[in-house]
Amino acid sequence: MINQPKLQAVIFDVDGTLLDSVDDHAKAWVDAFHEYGHRVCFEAVRRQIGKGGDQLMPVFMTREEIDDYGEALDRERGRIMKDRYLPLIKPFRAVRALLERVRADGKQIALASSATRDDLTAYKRIANIEDLVDVETSSDDAERSKPCPDIFQAALGRLSGIRPERILAVGDTAYDAEAAAKAGIRTVGLLCGGWSASDLKLAGCIAVYKDPADLLAHYGDSPLA
């Protein structure tokens, strides 16, 4: 059996991984699309959550439409999210306890989210993990969002020179696993964002758990240990 290098850091996605927010983000996108005359299916949009707007909008809009009003639509989506849906977002069970366990093991904690920096600040407060995060990266730190590796590469640059093989990512979508893999990082998948275990494993997740509480309950036998 080949021994894995000692783990030194864990990078967590936020939406759908730590926060029960995927439906809310999808609703905000649907509302914004509708305001600009695009009748899109909620389920189709939900499947794209985990990407940033730069990767999501081309699924539903032409290049010309994006050039014409894509930035305005994205700003409107952000306003709708804050005004209508942000107050509804809750963390999944045992989020803080899971991160406390990671910290107790002497590992650094990073967040790698497709959200903006301002939104990420709000999400940390909702999850009650502001004091547990060592490093964070957002869409403001990356030219391209997931499934491109930019956000994870930015996190690597802030993790004090820790090599990718000594880091694990935890995410809820195939986009997390694909982006992390491109940065040389292995991923543990969670089902609470709505993706199936088979889809997450196909995308490269080395293990899959139901949610943060399930990962914490099996922590000693998980790749995080």
Side-chain angles (χ1 to χ4, degrees):
M1 180 177 179
I2 299 175
N3 291 325
Q4 293 288 351
K6 178 178 173 59
L7 195 65
Q8 293 180 293
V10 182
I11 303 177
F12 289 92
D13 171 60
V14 179
D15 287 303
T17 299
L18 304 181
L19 297 181
D20 188 3
S21 56
V22 175
D23 283 357
D24 298 307
H25 280 288
K27 290 173 184 176
W29 275 111
V30 169
D31 292 352
F33 277 128
H34 283 192
E35 289 193 13
Y36 280 82
H38 292 268
R39 299 297 167 181
V40 295
C41 171
F42 169 81
E43 289 299 333
V45 175
R46 193 189 192 285
R47 188 70 172 177
Q48 301 300 317
I49 300 301
K51 298 178 178 179
D54 62 312
Q55 303 291 325
L56 185 150
M57 284 190 289
V59 177
F60 304 99
M61 301 168 66
T62 66
R63 183 73 261 171
E64 292 74 16
E65 289 168 338
I66 293 172
D67 291 341
D68 188 23
Y69 54 84
E71 289 185 6
L73 190 154
D74 196 11
R75 285 195 300 271
E76 179 65 6
R77 186 274 319 163
R79 184 196 66 77
I80 291 170
M81 183 66 197
K82 289 177 182 177
D83 292 350
R84 300 179 190 173
Y85 300 111
L86 184 62
L88 306 178
I89 294 176
K90 304 294 183 184
F92 290 114
R93 290 186 307 115
V95 165
R96 182 173 177 86
L98 173 60
L99 269 63
E100 286 176 334
R101 178 67 185 272
V102 173
R103 285 290 293 269
D105 277 350
K107 301 175 179 68
Q108 292 191 54
I109 293 174
L111 302 180
S113 171
S114 294
T116 66
R117 186 177 294 115
D118 287 345
D119 288 343
L120 188 55
T121 297
Y123 298 158
K124 287 189 297 179
R125 184 174 63 252
I126 292 169
N128 189 28
I129 57 171
E130 295 166 289
D131 59 321
L132 299 176
V133 177
D134 299 294
V135 167
E136 62 185 62
T137 56
S138 66
S139 61
D140 297 277
D141 303 304
E143 183 176 342
R144 302 166 301 171
S145 64
K146 304 169 188 174
C148 296
D150 302 30
I151 291 171
F152 283 102
Q153 290 170 339
L156 281 174
R158 296 178 181 178
L159 279 169
S160 304
I162 300 175
R163 299 197 303 273
E165 60 268 25
R166 294 184 179 273
I167 300 170
L168 276 180
V170 179
D172 68 296
T173 72
Y175 313 128
D176 295 314
E178 292 166 9
K182 292 171 186 173
I185 299 169
R186 296 165 295 145
T187 300
V188 170
L190 300 183
L191 300 175
C192 45
W195 287 66
S196 69
S198 59
D199 283 343
L200 292 176
K201 290 178 180 178
L202 187 63
C205 288
I206 60 173
V208 176
Y209 299 87
K210 180 180 178 181
D211 54 20
D214 185 39
L215 177 54
L216 177 61
H218 298 91
Y219 188 94
D221 297 320
S222 77
L224 272 67

